[in-house]
Amino acid sequence: MAAAVRECLELQLLEVEMLLSMFPKKGEISLDGAAVPALQRYLRDGGGSLPPRLEYSVAVGVGEPEVKVELQVQLPHMYPHVAPQLFARSNALHRQQQLQLNTRLTSHISSLDSGELCVCEAVQWLKENSLPYLENSKVSAEGVSKETAAKETIQRMWIYSHHIYRQELRKKIFECAKKLNLTGFCLTGKPGVICVEGIRENCEEFWRVIRYPNWKHISCKHVETVEAEGSSDHLRLFRAFEDLQFQAHGDYGLRNDYHMDLGQFLEFLKQHQSGHIFQILFGVEGKLADK
């Protein structure tokens, strides 16, 4: 098994190096700076704990004037013998066209020989096949009336987790929120709570990304949706995406099994017009202690 994993990781590293040579400009490939060295270290040392799974994105230029279609790549340790998770997105694509593009992309990758590297093939396929979906999105946008186009929908997602401790997970949460222009907060510790608010498609993309590959004990407890005339920024309850930490109590040993002060969290929610969310998250009515 270890030899099979090693062979797969060597192939993944080779493919990443090929992509970096194909896309040498800054910003064309987004890759955690520690990911490749960790993979190289594992291969050099010949064992030990498996490195984190490779995750990166490739900005593919399409059409004239050029529009960027981002291919998000998440690789299981056993890729290419196990299929990668690929997702194409672009701000120029409407939700329906993006869904259709990804359905076609998945179908194409599934038709390739099993066990072969396919991320470079996916990049080339997007270069050659994305333009019709971008053009359909443009036509759809031009057909929308000014009155409808002036309306914007903001969504607020309340996500509950048994705990949030790991630094790499917290980093992923904050990077994703920033990239998608989402405001809200991440409450670290036990329990862990995330709130994101912004354009509906961006909230749904955030929820899709952070759940992969297999974040257990996480659920979206509640979703709020509000439609506004013009910009929806004034409907946001938070001005930025905050790193929320309160006084904790419990065991500060190796397990970091400490509990957040939920009284302080309730007070924070009420300050942001969200006191009703406490009962939705925890199943009990929140009450502040008398001061």
Side-chain angles (χ1 to χ4, degrees), residues 47-186:
S49 300
L50 284 172
R53 292 177 175 87
L54 271 182
E55 298 184 15
Y56 55 91
S57 63
V58 183
V60 183
V62 178
E64 290 292 342
E66 189 175 77
V67 175
K68 293 295 184 183
V69 177
E70 180 186 46
L71 178 66
Q72 297 175 343
V73 181
Q74 297 169 327
L75 303 180
H77 287 127
M78 287 300 293
Y79 165 79
H81 296 297
V82 174
Q85 182 161 352
L86 306 175
F87 187 81
R89 68 181 302 275
S90 172
N91 291 333
L93 283 170
H94 284 183
R95 186 178 180 184
Q96 187 61 31
Q97 275 76 36
Q98 184 165 282
L99 176 61
Q100 292 172 356
L101 176 64
N102 278 286
T103 300
R104 284 282 314 282
L105 173 62
T106 301
S107 176
H108 174 68
I109 296 302
S110 298
S111 71
L112 302 176
D113 291 339
S114 178
E116 297 293 327
L117 294 171
C118 62
V119 177
C120 288
E121 172 64 25
V123 168
Q124 188 60 36
W125 188 91
L126 285 174
K127 270 184 169 291
E128 296 173 356
N129 294 275
S130 296
L131 193 57
Y133 298 93
L134 292 165
E135 290 174 344
N136 286 342
S137 290
K138 184 177 179 181
V139 170
S140 299
E142 290 171 349
V144 177
S145 68
K146 291 183 179 180
E147 180 181 353
T148 304
K151 290 185 178 180
E152 221 175 69
T153 300
I154 189 171
Q155 190 172 82
R156 191 173 301 112
M157 301 182 77
W158 297 91
I159 300 166
Y160 176 89
S161 175
H162 178 266
H163 61 268
I164 300 175
Y165 294 132
R166 291 189 294 118
Q167 285 295 332
E168 61 267 30
L169 178 58
R170 295 179 66 247
K171 180 181 179 183
K172 183 176 183 179
I173 290 168
F174 281 87
E175 286 181 348
C176 189
K178 180 180 179 181
K179 182 177 181 180
L180 296 171
N181 191 32
L182 300 175
T183 51
F185 64 84
C186 174

Side-chain angles (χ1 to χ4, degrees), residues 244-255:
L244 204 58
Q245 297 186 30
F246 296 120
Q247 181 180 351
H249 53 86
D251 178 9
Y252 285 82
L254 292 176
R255 291 181 61 244

Side-chain angles (χ1 to χ4, degrees), residues 162-165 186-193 243-250 252 256-266 278 282:
H162 178 266
H163 61 268
I164 300 175
Y165 294 132
C186 174
L187 174 64
T188 303
K190 182 179 181 180
V193 178
D243 183 6
L244 204 58
Q245 297 186 30
F246 296 120
Q247 181 180 351
H249 53 86
Y252 285 82
N256 279 340
D257 193 12
Y258 53 90
H259 295 251
M260 288 290 111
D261 187 325
L262 295 183
Q264 293 182 21
F265 181 49
L266 173 60
F278 192 91
F282 304 113

Side-chain angles (χ1 to χ4, degrees), residues 164-235:
I164 300 175
Y165 294 132
R166 291 189 294 118
Q167 285 295 332
E168 61 267 30
L169 178 58
R170 295 179 66 247
K171 180 181 179 183
K172 183 176 183 179
I173 290 168
F174 281 87
E175 286 181 348
C176 189
K178 180 180 179 181
K179 182 177 181 180
L180 296 171
N181 191 32
L182 300 175
T183 51
F185 64 84
C186 174
L187 174 64
T188 303
K190 182 179 181 180
V193 178
I194 305 169
C195 173
V196 288
E197 58 179 4
I199 303 302
R200 182 181 60 194
E201 289 79 4
N202 290 357
C203 288
E204 292 172 352
E205 172 69 1
F206 176 89
W207 176 232
R208 186 193 70 82
V209 168
I210 65 165
R211 282 182 299 167
Y212 182 85
N214 187 22
W215 186 355
K216 297 178 180 178
H217 311 301
I218 183 174
S219 60
C220 182
K221 290 280 191 175
H222 186 57
V223 176
E224 299 170 298
T225 303
V226 185
E227 192 176 74
E229 296 286 345
S231 173
S232 61
D233 285 346
H234 66 286
L235 296 174

